[in-house]
Amino acid sequence: QAEDGIRDVERSRGLGDVYKRQILSSTGEYKGWQVYKPINIIGPDGIYTIEYYSVDNVENKEQTKSITMKLDNTAPETNITAGEPRYITENKIYITPQTQIELSSIDPVINNVAVGVKTIKWRVDSGEWKVYEGTFTLIEGIRTVEYYAYDYLKNTEDIKTQVYHVDNTPPESNIVLGDPHCDGHSIEGVEHSTPVITSDTLLTINSNDPVVEGVASGVKNSKWRVANGKWSVYTEPFKIEGEDGEYKIDYYSSDNVMNIEVMKTTTVILDNTEPEVYLTFPSTANTGLCQLINGTVTVTGTVKDLHLEWYRLDYRGYEEEEWHTAISTKQRIVEDGELGRWNTTGLEDGWYVLKLIAEDCVRNRAETEVEVYIGQPEKLLEVGKKGKEDGEFNHPGYVALDKEGNI
């Protein structure tokens, strides 16, 4: 605005023109003098000096004046950062509901000019816009965060978007027992519900990270220990070695954003011991006539094991290789008692091998054998007769011989 100072109304000739020119301090470039009209400063951001003066109608020229202004047409630049825990893979960012989300914004300095960031705003899943006042967290699921900032001249940044996969669910693990093993077992004299294994049994940990709300960051690792020992990272199936007895196996899994499964425990019984078996009749202690059997024979002995599965008696001819069933499979504990009855009727006279076999539920097996003679003894020599006359005895003696003349 300009006015002509009126000292003498009769001599005043009124205001003529106002001139101005524009100078950009960062480059020194300027525009020539122009007759004034309302203007906008157009050009790159920077510091501008506007020079101006007025001339009245009789060419009285005012002394040149100036004013300096800063031009800022640049919007802020905002970045989003997720803290820990965080896992990035396949262009996806996985976090947890405990992960802090931070927004930071700067107003770029162009030619020494930046008015400064005034406000950052953000929202989740197209919800209500909020003024950013500090870090925030997200609930489980696939979450879309939108954000922008503007400066004190309301230069406004374009809306930016970041997608987060928020995982709040730990993996689920279980132990699979390989062979040999048996889950609970019950026969006459034996009952247990705890799985039984041997030192040849492979134990496998299977783990899965369940998809919840469309999100699963994946299993990072599984860990295990035996009998409160040192934790090991699971890399392959493992075995348990040591003395027979009960062992507790602890294990758990973690996902890639450190959601940790509650520790689980599986109890197993290690059994590397074969059943206890022996025969009392027929027995290896029998000799002579005591090895001779015929008809239906009651076989006695012991079969004992905490995890017994079965026992059986087989026989074969002494010179044969093929085995036959003498007493079919039984599932019970026997301690110095009857194992079964062997009907030898119909078998040719001669030497045979009787074998007792027992196996527990994890295939620990034990065997014992005895040689027996099947047939009727042939009385070849008699010493005295039973009676009370001369040459007679209350208990006459006899001698039995086989076909080869053995007494």
Side-chain angles (χ1 to χ4, degrees), residues 85-150:
R86 179 184 69 247
Y87 175 65
I88 302 175
T89 183
E90 298 178 353
N91 299 319
K92 294 180 180 179
I93 301 176
Y94 291 93
I95 61 174
T96 74
Q98 289 72 48
T99 303
Q100 298 294 314
I101 308 298
E102 180 180 11
L103 295 173
S104 59
S105 186
I106 62 168
D107 196 19
V109 177
I110 308 295
N111 293 327
N112 296 316
V113 174
V115 69
V117 177
K118 182 179 182 181
T119 302
I120 303 173
K121 288 195 170 184
W122 63 281
R123 68 178 180 179
V124 178
D125 296 340
S126 300
E128 181 183 353
W129 285 103
K130 300 178 181 179
V131 174
Y132 178 74
E133 297 178 339
T135 58
F136 57 91
T137 57
L138 303 172
I139 62 174
E140 189 165 32
I142 301 174
R143 304 299 167 203
T144 300
V145 180
E146 296 175 285
Y147 57 96
Y148 71 92
Y150 55 84

Coordinates of all heavy atoms in Angstrom, one line a residue, residues 85-150:
P85 N 9.2 -57.7 19.7 CA 9.7 -58.6 18.7 C 9.1 -58.3 17.3 O 8.0 -57.9 17.2 CB 9.2 -60.0 19.2 CG 8.0 -59.6 20.1 CD 8.3 -58.3 20.7
R86 N 10.0 -58.7 16.3 CA 9.6 -58.4 14.9 C 10.3 -59.4 14.0 O 11.4 -59.8 14.3 CB 10.1 -57.0 14.5 CG 9.7 -56.6 13.1 CD 10.3 -55.3 12.7 NE 11.8 -55.3 12.6 CZ 12.6 -54.6 13.4 NH1 12.1 -53.9 14.4 NH2 13.9 -54.7 13.3
Y87 N 9.6 -59.9 13.0 CA 10.1 -60.9 12.1 C 9.7 -60.5 10.7 O 8.5 -60.3 10.4 CB 9.6 -62.3 12.4 CG 10.1 -63.4 11.5 CD1 11.4 -63.7 11.3 CD2 9.1 -64.1 10.8 CE1 11.8 -64.7 10.5 CE2 9.5 -65.1 9.9 CZ 10.8 -65.4 9.8 OH 11.1 -66.4 8.9
I88 N 10.6 -60.4 9.7 CA 10.3 -60.0 8.4 C 10.7 -61.1 7.4 O 11.8 -61.7 7.4 CB 11.1 -58.8 8.0 CG1 10.8 -57.6 8.9 CG2 10.8 -58.3 6.5 CD1 11.6 -56.3 8.7
T89 N 9.7 -61.6 6.6 CA 10.0 -62.6 5.6 C 8.9 -62.5 4.5 O 7.7 -62.1 4.8 CB 9.9 -64.0 6.2 OG1 10.2 -65.0 5.2 CG2 8.6 -64.3 6.8
E90 N 9.3 -62.8 3.3 CA 8.4 -62.8 2.2 C 7.5 -61.5 2.1 O 6.3 -61.5 1.9 CB 7.4 -64.0 2.3 CG 8.2 -65.4 2.2 CD 7.2 -66.5 2.3 OE1 6.0 -66.3 2.6 OE2 7.7 -67.7 2.2
N91 N 8.2 -60.4 2.3 CA 7.6 -59.1 2.2 C 6.5 -58.9 3.3 O 5.6 -58.1 3.1 CB 7.0 -58.8 0.8 CG 8.1 -58.8 -0.2 OD1 9.2 -58.3 0.0 ND2 7.8 -59.5 -1.4
K92 N 6.5 -59.7 4.3 CA 5.6 -59.5 5.4 C 6.3 -59.2 6.7 O 7.4 -59.7 6.9 CB 4.8 -60.8 5.6 CG 3.8 -61.2 4.5 CD 3.1 -62.4 4.8 CE 2.1 -62.8 3.6 NZ 1.4 -64.1 3.9
I93 N 5.7 -58.3 7.5 CA 6.3 -57.9 8.7 C 5.4 -58.5 9.8 O 4.2 -58.2 9.9 CB 6.3 -56.4 8.9 CG1 7.2 -55.8 7.8 CG2 6.9 -56.1 10.3 CD1 7.3 -54.3 7.8
Y94 N 6.0 -59.4 10.6 CA 5.2 -60.1 11.7 C 5.6 -59.4 13.0 O 6.8 -59.2 13.3 CB 5.6 -61.5 11.8 CG 5.0 -62.4 10.7 CD1 5.8 -62.6 9.5 CD2 3.7 -62.9 10.7 CE1 5.3 -63.4 8.5 CE2 3.2 -63.6 9.6 CZ 4.0 -63.9 8.5 OH 3.5 -64.6 7.5
I95 N 4.7 -59.1 13.9 CA 4.9 -58.5 15.2 C 3.9 -59.2 16.2 O 3.2 -60.0 15.8 CB 4.7 -57.0 15.2 CG1 3.3 -56.6 14.8 CG2 5.7 -56.3 14.2 CD1 3.0 -55.1 14.9
T96 N 4.0 -58.7 17.4 CA 3.0 -59.2 18.4 C 2.3 -58.0 19.0 O 2.6 -56.9 18.7 CB 3.8 -59.9 19.6 OG1 4.4 -58.9 20.4 CG2 4.8 -60.9 19.1
P97 N 1.2 -58.3 19.8 CA 0.5 -57.1 20.4 C 1.4 -56.4 21.4 O 1.0 -55.3 21.9 CB -0.7 -57.8 21.1 CG -0.9 -59.1 20.3 CD 0.5 -59.5 19.9
Q98 N 2.6 -56.9 21.7 CA 3.5 -56.2 22.6 C 4.5 -55.3 21.9 O 5.2 -54.5 22.5 CB 4.2 -57.2 23.5 CG 3.4 -57.8 24.6 CD 2.5 -58.9 24.0 OE1 2.8 -59.7 23.2 NE2 1.2 -58.8 24.4
T99 N 4.5 -55.4 20.6 CA 5.4 -54.6 19.8 C 5.0 -53.2 19.7 O 3.9 -52.9 19.3 CB 5.5 -55.2 18.3 OG1 5.9 -56.6 18.4 CG2 6.6 -54.5 17.5
Q100 N 5.9 -52.3 20.0 CA 5.6 -50.8 19.9 C 5.8 -50.3 18.5 O 6.8 -50.5 17.9 CB 6.5 -50.1 20.9 CG 6.3 -50.4 22.3 CD 5.0 -50.1 22.9 OE1 4.5 -49.0 22.7 NE2 4.4 -51.0 23.6
I101 N 4.7 -49.6 18.0 CA 4.8 -48.9 16.7 C 5.1 -47.5 16.9 O 4.4 -46.8 17.6 CB 3.5 -49.1 15.9 CG1 3.0 -50.6 15.9 CG2 3.6 -48.5 14.5 CD1 4.0 -51.5 15.2
E102 N 6.1 -47.0 16.2 CA 6.5 -45.6 16.3 C 6.4 -44.9 15.0 O 6.8 -45.4 14.0 CB 8.0 -45.5 16.9 CG 8.5 -44.1 17.1 CD 9.9 -44.1 17.6 OE1 10.6 -45.1 17.6 OE2 10.4 -43.0 18.0
L103 N 5.9 -43.6 15.0 CA 5.9 -42.7 13.9 C 6.9 -41.6 14.1 O 6.9 -41.0 15.2 CB 4.5 -42.2 13.6 CG 3.4 -43.2 13.3 CD1 2.0 -42.5 13.2 CD2 3.7 -43.8 11.9
S104 N 7.6 -41.2 13.1 CA 8.5 -40.1 13.2 C 8.4 -39.3 11.9 O 8.3 -39.9 10.8 CB 10.0 -40.5 13.4 OG 10.4 -41.4 12.4
S105 N 8.5 -38.0 12.0 CA 8.3 -37.1 10.8 C 9.3 -36.0 10.9 O 9.6 -35.4 12.0 CB 6.9 -36.6 10.8 OG 6.6 -35.9 9.6
I106 N 9.8 -35.6 9.7 CA 10.6 -34.4 9.6 C 10.0 -33.5 8.5 O 9.4 -34.0 7.6 CB 12.1 -34.8 9.2 CG1 12.1 -35.5 7.9 CG2 12.7 -35.6 10.3 CD1 13.5 -35.7 7.3
D107 N 10.3 -32.2 8.6 CA 10.0 -31.2 7.5 C 11.3 -30.9 6.8 O 12.2 -30.3 7.4 CB 9.4 -30.0 8.1 CG 8.6 -29.1 7.1 OD1 8.3 -29.7 6.0 OD2 8.4 -28.0 7.3
P108 N 11.4 -31.4 5.6 CA 12.7 -31.3 4.9 C 13.1 -29.8 4.8 O 12.3 -28.9 4.5 CB 12.5 -31.9 3.5 CG 11.3 -32.8 3.7 CD 10.5 -32.1 4.8
V109 N 14.4 -29.6 5.0 CA 15.0 -28.2 4.8 C 15.4 -28.0 3.4 O 16.3 -28.7 2.9 CB 16.2 -28.0 5.8 CG1 16.8 -26.6 5.6 CG2 15.7 -28.2 7.2
I110 N 14.7 -27.1 2.7 CA 15.0 -26.8 1.3 C 15.5 -25.4 1.2 O 14.8 -24.4 1.6 CB 13.8 -27.0 0.4 CG1 13.1 -28.4 0.6 CG2 14.1 -26.8 -1.1 CD1 14.0 -29.5 0.2
N111 N 16.7 -25.2 0.8 CA 17.3 -23.9 0.7 C 17.2 -23.1 2.0 O 16.8 -21.9 2.0 CB 16.7 -23.1 -0.5 CG 17.0 -23.7 -1.8 OD1 18.1 -24.2 -2.0 ND2 16.1 -23.6 -2.8
N112 N 17.5 -23.8 3.1 CA 17.5 -23.2 4.4 C 16.1 -22.9 4.9 O 16.0 -22.1 5.9 CB 18.4 -22.0 4.5 CG 19.8 -22.3 4.2 OD1 20.3 -23.3 4.7 ND2 20.5 -21.5 3.4
V113 N 15.1 -23.5 4.3 CA 13.7 -23.2 4.8 C 13.0 -24.5 5.2 O 13.0 -25.4 4.4 CB 12.9 -22.4 3.7 CG1 11.5 -22.3 4.1 CG2 13.5 -21.1 3.4
A114 N 12.4 -24.5 6.3 CA 11.5 -25.5 6.8 C 10.7 -25.0 7.9 O 11.2 -24.6 9.0 CB 12.2 -26.8 7.2
V115 N 9.4 -24.9 7.8 CA 8.5 -24.3 8.8 C 8.3 -25.2 10.0 O 8.0 -24.8 11.1 CB 7.2 -23.9 8.2 CG1 6.3 -25.1 7.9 CG2 6.4 -23.0 9.1
G116 N 8.5 -26.6 9.8 CA 8.4 -27.5 10.9 C 7.1 -28.3 10.9 O 6.1 -27.8 10.4
V117 N 7.2 -29.5 11.4 CA 6.1 -30.4 11.5 C 5.1 -30.0 12.6 O 5.5 -29.7 13.7 CB 6.5 -31.9 11.8 CG1 5.3 -32.8 11.9 CG2 7.4 -32.4 10.6
K118 N 3.9 -29.9 12.3 CA 2.9 -29.5 13.3 C 2.2 -30.8 13.9 O 2.1 -30.9 15.1 CB 1.8 -28.6 12.7 CG 0.8 -28.1 13.7 CD -0.2 -27.2 13.1 CE -1.2 -26.7 14.2 NZ -2.2 -25.8 13.6
T119 N 1.7 -31.7 13.0 CA 0.9 -32.8 13.5 C 1.1 -34.0 12.6 O 1.2 -33.9 11.4 CB -0.6 -32.4 13.4 OG1 -0.9 -31.2 14.2 CG2 -1.5 -33.5 13.9
I120 N 1.1 -35.2 13.3 CA 1.1 -36.5 12.7 C -0.2 -37.2 13.0 O -0.7 -37.1 14.2 CB 2.2 -37.4 13.1 CG1 3.6 -36.7 12.9 CG2 2.2 -38.8 12.4 CD1 4.8 -37.5 13.5
K121 N -0.9 -37.8 12.0 CA -2.1 -38.5 12.2 C -2.0 -39.9 11.7 O -1.2 -40.2 10.8 CB -3.3 -37.8 11.6 CG -3.7 -36.5 12.2 CD -5.0 -36.0 11.8 CE -5.5 -34.8 12.6 NZ -6.9 -34.4 12.3
W122 N -2.8 -40.8 12.4 CA -2.7 -42.2 12.0 C -4.1 -42.9 12.3 O -4.9 -42.4 13.1 CB -1.6 -43.0 12.8 CG -1.8 -43.0 14.3 CD1 -1.6 -42.0 15.2 CD2 -2.4 -44.1 15.1 NE1 -1.9 -42.3 16.4 CE2 -2.4 -43.6 16.4 CE3 -2.8 -45.3 14.8 CZ2 -2.8 -44.4 17.4 CZ3 -3.3 -46.1 15.8 CH2 -3.3 -45.7 17.1
R123 N -4.3 -44.0 11.7 CA -5.5 -44.8 11.9 C -5.2 -46.2 11.5 O -4.3 -46.5 10.8 CB -6.7 -44.3 11.2 CG -6.6 -44.4 9.6 CD -7.9 -43.9 9.0 NE -7.9 -44.1 7.5 CZ -8.9 -43.7 6.7 NH1 -10.0 -43.2 7.2 NH2 -8.8 -43.9 5.4
V124 N -6.1 -47.2 12.1 CA -5.9 -48.6 11.8 C -7.2 -49.1 11.2 O -8.3 -48.9 11.6 CB -5.6 -49.4 13.1 CG1 -5.5 -50.9 12.8 CG2 -4.3 -48.8 13.8
D125 N -7.0 -49.9 10.1 CA -8.1 -50.6 9.4 C -9.2 -49.6 9.1 O -10.4 -49.9 9.3 CB -8.6 -51.7 10.2 CG -7.5 -52.8 10.4 OD1 -6.6 -52.9 9.6 OD2 -7.7 -53.6 11.4
S126 N -8.9 -48.4 8.5 CA -9.8 -47.4 8.0 C -10.7 -46.9 9.2 O -11.8 -46.4 8.9 CB -10.7 -48.0 6.9 OG -10.0 -48.4 5.8
G127 N -10.2 -46.9 10.4 CA -10.9 -46.4 11.5 C -10.8 -44.9 11.6 O -10.5 -44.2 10.7
E128 N -11.0 -44.4 12.8 CA -11.0 -43.0 13.1 C -9.5 -42.5 13.1 O -8.7 -43.1 13.7 CB -11.7 -42.7 14.4 CG -11.7 -41.2 14.8 CD -12.3 -41.0 16.1 OE1 -12.9 -41.9 16.7 OE2 -12.3 -39.8 16.6
W129 N -9.3 -41.3 12.5 CA -8.0 -40.7 12.5 C -7.7 -40.2 13.9 O -8.5 -39.6 14.6 CB -7.9 -39.5 11.5 CG -7.8 -39.9 10.1 CD1 -8.8 -39.9 9.2 CD2 -6.6 -40.5 9.4 NE1 -8.4 -40.4 7.9 CE2 -7.0 -40.7 8.1 CE3 -5.3 -40.7 9.8 CZ2 -6.1 -41.3 7.1 CZ3 -4.4 -41.3 8.9 CH2 -4.8 -41.5 7.6
K130 N -6.4 -40.4 14.3 CA -6.0 -40.0 15.6 C -4.7 -39.2 15.5 O -3.9 -39.4 14.6 CB -5.7 -41.2 16.5 CG -6.9 -42.1 16.8 CD -6.4 -43.3 17.6 CE -7.6 -44.3 17.9 NZ -7.2 -45.4 18.7
V131 N -4.6 -38.2 16.4 CA -3.3 -37.4 16.5 C -2.3 -38.3 17.2 O -2.5 -38.9 18.3 CB -3.5 -36.1 17.2 CG1 -2.2 -35.4 17.4 CG2 -4.5 -35.2 16.5
Y132 N -1.1 -38.4 16.5 CA 0.0 -39.3 17.1 C 0.6 -38.5 18.3 O 1.0 -37.4 18.2 CB 1.0 -39.5 16.1 CG 2.2 -40.3 16.6 CD1 2.1 -41.7 16.8 CD2 3.4 -39.7 16.8 CE1 3.1 -42.4 17.3 CE2 4.5 -40.5 17.3 CZ 4.3 -41.8 17.6 OH 5.4 -42.5 18.0
E133 N 0.5 -39.2 19.5 CA 1.1 -38.7 20.7 C 2.2 -39.6 21.3 O 2.8 -39.2 22.3 CB 0.0 -38.5 21.7 CG -1.1 -37.5 21.3 CD -2.2 -37.3 22.2 OE1 -2.4 -38.2 23.1 OE2 -2.9 -36.2 22.2
G134 N 2.4 -40.7 20.7 CA 3.4 -41.7 21.2 C 3.2 -43.0 20.6 O 2.2 -43.3 19.9
T135 N 4.1 -44.0 21.0 CA 4.0 -45.3 20.4 C 2.7 -46.0 20.7 O 2.1 -45.7 21.7 CB 5.2 -46.2 20.9 OG1 5.1 -46.2 22.3 CG2 6.5 -45.6 20.4
F136 N 2.3 -46.9 19.9 CA 1.0 -47.6 20.1 C 1.2 -49.1 19.7 O 2.2 -49.5 19.1 CB -0.1 -47.0 19.2 CG 0.2 -46.9 17.8 CD1 -0.2 -47.9 16.9 CD2 0.8 -45.8 17.2 CE1 0.0 -47.8 15.5 CE2 1.1 -45.7 15.9 CZ 0.7 -46.7 15.0
T137 N 0.2 -49.9 20.0 CA 0.3 -51.3 19.7 C -0.9 -51.8 18.9 O -1.9 -51.0 18.8 CB 0.4 -52.2 21.0 OG1 -0.7 -51.9 21.8 CG2 1.7 -51.9 21.7
L138 N -0.9 -53.0 18.4 CA -2.0 -53.5 17.5 C -2.5 -54.8 18.1 O -1.7 -55.6 18.7 CB -1.5 -53.7 16.1 CG -0.9 -52.4 15.4 CD1 -0.3 -52.8 14.1 CD2 -2.0 -51.4 15.2
I139 N -3.7 -55.1 17.8 CA -4.3 -56.4 18.2 C -4.0 -57.5 17.2 O -3.7 -57.2 16.0 CB -5.8 -56.3 18.6 CG1 -6.6 -55.9 17.4 CG2 -6.0 -55.3 19.7 CD1 -8.1 -55.9 17.6
E140 N -4.2 -58.7 17.6 CA -3.9 -59.9 16.7 C -4.7 -59.8 15.4 O -5.9 -59.5 15.4 CB -4.2 -61.2 17.4 CG -3.7 -62.4 16.6 CD -3.6 -63.6 17.5 OE1 -4.5 -63.8 18.4 OE2 -2.7 -64.5 17.2
G141 N -4.0 -60.1 14.3 CA -4.7 -60.1 13.0 C -3.9 -59.4 11.9 O -2.7 -58.9 12.2
I142 N -4.4 -59.2 10.7 CA -3.7 -58.5 9.7 C -4.2 -57.0 9.8 O -5.4 -56.8 9.5 CB -4.0 -59.1 8.3 CG1 -3.6 -60.5 8.2 CG2 -3.3 -58.2 7.2 CD1 -4.0 -61.2 6.9
R143 N -3.3 -56.1 10.2 CA -3.7 -54.8 10.5 C -3.0 -53.8 9.5 O -1.8 -53.9 9.2 CB -3.3 -54.4 11.9 CG -3.8 -55.3 13.0 CD -5.4 -55.3 13.0 NE -5.9 -56.4 13.8 CZ -7.1 -56.8 13.6 NH1 -7.9 -56.3 12.7 NH2 -7.6 -57.8 14.4
T144 N -3.8 -52.9 9.0 CA -3.3 -51.8 8.0 C -3.3 -50.5 8.8 O -4.3 -50.0 9.2 CB -4.3 -51.7 6.8 OG1 -4.3 -53.0 6.1 CG2 -3.8 -50.7 5.8
V145 N -2.1 -49.9 8.8 CA -1.9 -48.7 9.5 C -1.7 -47.6 8.4 O -0.8 -47.7 7.5 CB -0.6 -48.7 10.4 CG1 -0.4 -47.3 11.1 CG2 -0.8 -49.8 11.5
E146 N -2.5 -46.5 8.4 CA -2.3 -45.4 7.5 C -1.9 -44.2 8.4 O -2.3 -44.0 9.5 CB -3.7 -45.1 6.9 CG -4.2 -46.2 5.9 CD -5.5 -45.9 5.4 OE1 -6.5 -46.0 6.1 OE2 -5.6 -45.5 4.2
Y147 N -1.0 -43.3 7.7 CA -0.5 -42.2 8.5 C 0.0 -41.1 7.5 O 0.3 -41.3 6.4 CB 0.7 -42.7 9.4 CG 1.8 -43.4 8.6 CD1 2.9 -42.7 8.2 CD2 1.7 -44.7 8.3 CE1 4.0 -43.3 7.5 CE2 2.7 -45.3 7.6 CZ 3.8 -44.6 7.2 OH 4.8 -45.2 6.5
Y148 N 0.0 -39.9 8.1 CA 0.5 -38.7 7.3 C 0.8 -37.6 8.3 O 0.4 -37.7 9.5 CB -0.4 -38.3 6.3 CG -1.7 -37.6 6.8 CD1 -1.8 -36.2 7.0 CD2 -2.8 -38.4 7.2 CE1 -2.9 -35.6 7.5 CE2 -4.0 -37.8 7.7 CZ -4.0 -36.4 7.8 OH -5.1 -35.8 8.3
A149 N 1.5 -36.6 7.8 CA 1.8 -35.4 8.7 C 1.6 -34.1 7.8 O 1.6 -34.1 6.6 CB 3.2 -35.5 9.2
Y150 N 1.4 -33.0 8.5 CA 1.4 -31.7 7.9 C 2.2 -30.7 8.7 O 2.3 -30.9 9.9 CB 0.0 -31.2 7.6 CG -1.0 -31.1 8.8 CD1 -1.0 -30.0 9.6 CD2 -1.9 -32.2 9.1 CE1 -1.8 -29.9 10.7 CE2 -2.7 -32.1 10.1 CZ -2.7 -31.0 10.9 OH -3.6 -30.9 12.0

